[in-house]
Amino acid sequence: MWWTGLGALLLMIYLTTPFLVAFLLIFYLSIRRGGRPAAEGGGRAWEVLWILLVGGVWVVINLTSIGWIPSGLGGADRGVEPTQRITVEAHMWYFKLDADRLAPYTPTEIVAKSYDTMHGVGIYDPEGRLVATMMLMPGMGERLVLTLQPGEYIIRCLEYCGDGHAAMVSRFTVG
Ligand SMILES: [Cu+2]
């Protein structure tokens, strides 16, 4: 499945590129503006230092917060070999699961794919906590591995996908 993970990467590029372009433009303009003589409002060193500081803080905050995202990077069992699997098909506006009962305490591969527009997959545990999310680009899939406690789990679409979005709920049982 070469396509798994590619959707998330494309989405990240799609979402961050406009901000990156704006940031680089501001960076470029601030350096160019700072090139004028000091009498015209110089302070060039401070401007460059300020933009580097803001950029640095932005990068550090983003990198250090990755672990808190309930996704394949944070909430999932990385490097664990799954021994069971559930396939989640996302359509407008329903999820189609190939299983409704899973074994507990077992590394479970959750493979999701969207067959039309963009959808999100939010997996909620029996207490209603969000344990994992996946973002699905049209026609692309994602996967993650979770080890689940017994109980009733709910899957909700987390990306607005049209009229029936709010009704896009499915469930499966562990145990
Ligand atoms: Cu939706």
Side-chain angles (χ1 to χ4, degrees):
M1 280 177 294
W2 61 269
W3 42 259
T4 54
L6 186 64
L9 191 67
L10 288 175
L11 186 73
M12 195 187 74
I13 293 169
Y14 172 76
L15 291 177
T16 55
T17 300
F19 296 98
L20 195 64
V21 168
F23 181 77
L24 290 176
L25 190 69
I26 292 169
F27 186 69
Y28 168 72
L29 290 176
S30 76
I31 286 188
R32 230 185 56 162
R33 197 177 93 81
R36 285 192 227 129
E40 272 181 54
R44 176 196 172 130
W46 285 112
E47 285 182 354
V48 172
L49 194 67
W50 173 248
I51 199 117
L52 285 178
L53 185 76
V54 171
V57 167
W58 183 84
V59 168
V60 168
I61 287 175
N62 277 279
L63 288 181
T64 52
S65 61
I66 284 177
W68 288 310
I69 299 172
S71 71
L73 289 169
D77 300 338
R78 302 177 72 188
V80 175
E81 208 47 55
T83 50
Q84 69 179 339
R85 169 203 273 213
I86 181 170
T87 304
V88 179
E89 284 185 13
H91 301 265
M92 285 194 273
W93 291 281
Y94 61 94
F95 289 110
K96 197 174 139 204
L97 313 183
D98 70 342
D100 57 6
R101 188 166 281 272
L102 295 167
Y105 312 114
T106 305
T108 306
E109 182 180 40
I110 299 167
V111 182
K113 185 177 177 181
S114 166
Y115 287 80
D116 36 48
T117 184
M118 267 179 63
H119 293 290
V121 175
I123 300 167
Y124 294 81
D125 72 7
E127 278 82 52
R129 279 186 307 244
L130 184 63
V131 290
T133 66
M134 284 181 271
M135 182 67 89
L136 306 177
M137 293 284 275
M140 288 184 174
E142 297 294 333
R143 63 174 291 277
L144 57 81
V145 177
L146 292 174
T147 302
L148 302 170
Q149 314 283 316
E152 182 94 347
Y153 285 74
I154 291 174
I155 297 179
R156 281 181 191 281
C157 180
L158 293 184
E159 182 65 39
Y160 182 68
C161 55
D163 281 358
H165 167 67
M168 224 174 133
V169 182
S170 193
R171 56 195 73 227
F172 63 89
T173 305
V174 175

